[in-house]
Amino acid sequence: MLFSKVAILGGGLLGGSLALAVQERKVAGSVAVWARRAETVAEMESRQMAELVTTDLARAVEEAEMVVLCTPIGAMAGVVERALPYLSPFAVVTDVGSVKTPVVRDVIAVLGGKNEFVGSHPMAGGENAGVAHAKADLFEGAVCILTPVGETAPAALEQVRKFWIALGMVLRELSPGEHDAVVARVSHLPHLLASALVNFATSPDATSLAFCGNGFRDSTRVAAGHSGLWGEILMTNRDEVLQALKGLQGELSRVGQLLENGDTPALLSFLARAARARQTLSPRSKTEE
């Protein structure tokens, strides 16, 4: 047992899965979850997902040694501001947000040195949002990106490292800016493209979907994700997403030129390079966000 108490702020897919995983792996003596909606509290209580599930933020965070923000990224700093008077001076705060630069900046500013914050992004999730889809093994074998900054205390960083490793995650470290550039390419842009592909294939109507096979299903699975959540992510990281989109547009233009020129050898080389790179990926299906 690493911690006497872990507090999870937010009861969606990641928050619920985190509560289950912390309990199953005995990472903490007790788990408390704060949820905004009474319906979420009732659902989590019915599944016995934590020792305490409450809409009372103070009760959730009091005496917690590790506090994990699992709210939408735009709400994180505000939730921390509300929780700050009730945080133990020894509590370390981390998060699961998929955009890091504004989150790290704003949460550190709100904490004002009272508590340490270490940005985290577990690359685990799925297209089905909500606590109903939570599962204890969601994080096993997935990558978690930590984003310490110059003022991050080594002891706090080590606590957060131990937390995610105890949940079975593989750690990587990047600066907040580096993180946002990387995930724009491998997470945010793919979601945008999946949505664009579905919209293109179903224009002017949805009859095309009756003919799609596994290739289309696999390529567009993430487009079924929560539009409000993904809209916030894409707009928050829009500068990096735009850069990635411009890069991809150049790649598409080049391959379009190969087709127009009938350049079969160059097209085969293009496809082979992608196939080799894709084969190096882990087959783990949970590394989806």
Side-chain angles (χ1 to χ4, degrees):
M1 184 177 71
L2 290 176
F3 306 97
S4 60
K5 179 180 177 180
V6 168
I8 298 165
L9 308 186
L13 170 65
L14 292 179
S17 297
L18 196 55
L20 291 172
V22 169
Q23 286 193 112
E24 184 174 285
R25 287 176 168 260
K26 297 179 172 56
V27 175
S30 68
V31 182
V33 179
W34 170 78
R36 184 177 56 83
R37 298 170 61 246
E39 296 86 348
T40 303
V41 171
E43 183 169 359
M44 295 187 76
E45 286 180 333
S46 69
R47 292 179 60 183
Q48 298 181 323
M49 297 176 77
E51 282 78 13
L52 172 67
V53 187
T54 179
T55 58
D56 186 336
L57 189 57
R59 285 187 67 205
V61 301
E62 62 184 3
E63 299 182 352
E65 297 165 301
M66 180 67 65
V67 178
V68 189
L69 306 174
C70 297
T71 66
I73 52 178
M76 287 181 175
V79 169
V80 171
E81 187 171 22
R82 290 171 53 197
L84 186 58
Y86 313 105
L87 290 178
S88 159
F90 305 105
V92 175
V93 183
T94 189
D95 74 311
V96 299
S98 63
V99 184
K100 292 268 80 80
T101 299
V103 170
V104 172
R105 179 193 64 223
D106 294 346
V107 172
I108 287 177
V110 168
L111 288 171
K114 178 185 174 183
N115 294 88
E116 289 288 332
F117 176 73
V118 181
S120 302
H121 181 193
M123 299 289 286
E127 69 275 17
N128 295 313
V131 72
H133 302 283
K135 47 190 177 181
D137 65 348
L138 186 70
F139 304 98
E140 291 180 11
V143 168
C144 183
I145 305 171
L146 305 185
T147 59
V149 292
E151 61 265 39
T152 301
L157 178 58
E158 186 60 22
Q159 287 288 81
V160 174
R161 283 176 177 154
K162 289 178 179 178
F163 177 73
W164 293 116
I165 288 172
L167 297 178
M169 303 204 78
V170 178
L171 300 189
R172 301 285 185 270
E173 288 188 19
L174 296 170
S175 71
E178 289 170 335
H179 166 278
D180 292 349
V182 167
V183 299
R185 288 188 173 215
V186 301
S187 175
H188 303 168
L189 182 61
H191 190 97
L192 190 63
L193 293 178
S195 299
L197 183 55
V198 171
N199 288 341
F200 172 74
T202 57
S203 178
D205 57 59
T207 56
S208 302
L209 296 182
F211 302 94
C212 71
N214 287 337
F216 186 87
R217 291 187 178 91
D218 292 344
S219 300
T220 61
R221 176 187 54 77
V222 294
H226 190 282
S227 58
L229 172 68
W230 275 99
E232 180 183 42
I233 290 170
L234 291 165
M235 289 302 292
T236 303
N237 201 31
R238 62 185 177 275
D239 291 342
E240 294 294 348
V241 174
L242 280 169
Q243 283 296 109
L245 186 58
K246 289 175 183 176
L248 181 64
Q249 286 169 337
E251 192 78 3
L252 292 174
S253 294
R254 285 187 288 273
V255 75
Q257 193 64 53
L258 298 180
L259 290 169
E260 187 172 326
N261 295 341
D263 191 341
T264 300
L267 178 64
L268 292 177
S269 177
F270 170 87
L271 296 172
R273 180 166 64 90
R276 287 193 300 271
R278 179 62 178 81
Q279 287 163 7
T280 67
L281 283 180
S282 165
R284 185 184 183 280
S285 61
K286 294 169 194 166
T287 309
E288 295 170 344
E289 186 169 286

